[in-house]
Amino acid sequence: MYARLLDRLLVWLSWLLACSGPTCGIMARMRPGRASPQPLLLVFAHPDDESFAVGGTAALYAAASARVSLACATRGERGTTDPALAGQKLGAIREGELRRACAILGVADVSFLGYTDGDVDKVAFPELVESIAAVMRRARPGAV
């Protein structure tokens, strides 16, 4: 129960942060009766980057009926100092956390590019570009 309340609180706080500063113009354009914003694609390296970086913006777009999609380069399988969790086990945990966070934020589509955490810099640049371009062709975003 507390985890769900915490999730909602984090979404609310992210939304408040999105309402301040330069993103306030986004709020004005998303008022009821106005056209929905174009589809949004979020691209990140690790699970949880979306919540910390643009969770409020994602929730705002979704609440305004925009289709929000997310591409994550890795499953975050190396994001721990605990050797008992590292690898596939942690990757599965973090993938599940990302999917739950996206459901709360209103992200409609989650894709994993399948790269190993910590090794994205070793991927050939054209391959990485093509992976992201493939997601863009599917999502057809108006903003990335």
Side-chain angles (χ1 to χ4, degrees):
M1 178 178 155
Y2 291 111
R4 187 161 174 80
L5 288 173
L6 180 60
D7 289 340
R8 295 292 177 188
L9 176 63
L10 289 173
V11 169
W12 182 76
L13 289 172
S14 297
W15 184 82
L16 280 179
L17 289 172
C19 294
S20 62
T23 57
C24 275
I26 294 171
M27 298 264 323
R29 291 189 298 274
M30 293 186 184
R31 290 196 178 124
R34 302 234 176 164
S36 345
Q38 294 183 355
L40 176 66
L41 173 62
L42 309 172
V43 181
F44 291 101
H46 315 98
D48 78 18
D49 291 350
E50 79 297 331
S51 295
F52 290 117
V54 296
T57 301
L60 189 61
Y61 267 71
S65 300
R67 180 171 177 78
V68 180
S69 301
L70 181 137
C72 192
T74 74
R75 295 173 70 226
E77 61 271 17
R78 290 186 183 162
T80 185
T81 56
D82 182 352
L85 279 179
Q88 295 298 344
K89 182 177 181 181
L90 182 60
I93 290 169
R94 294 198 63 200
E95 179 179 341
E97 290 171 347
L98 174 65
R99 291 186 185 281
R100 286 189 300 280
C102 285
I104 290 167
L105 294 172
V107 175
D109 179 49
V110 178
S111 302
F112 287 89
L113 302 182
Y115 298 111
T116 302
D117 190 15
D119 291 342
V120 175
D121 61 332
K122 296 175 180 108
V123 176
F125 185 71
E127 177 187 338
L128 187 58
V129 168
E130 179 51 38
S131 295
I132 296 169
V135 174
M136 290 179 74
R137 284 190 290 274
R138 282 193 314 269
R140 303 185 53 83
V144 179

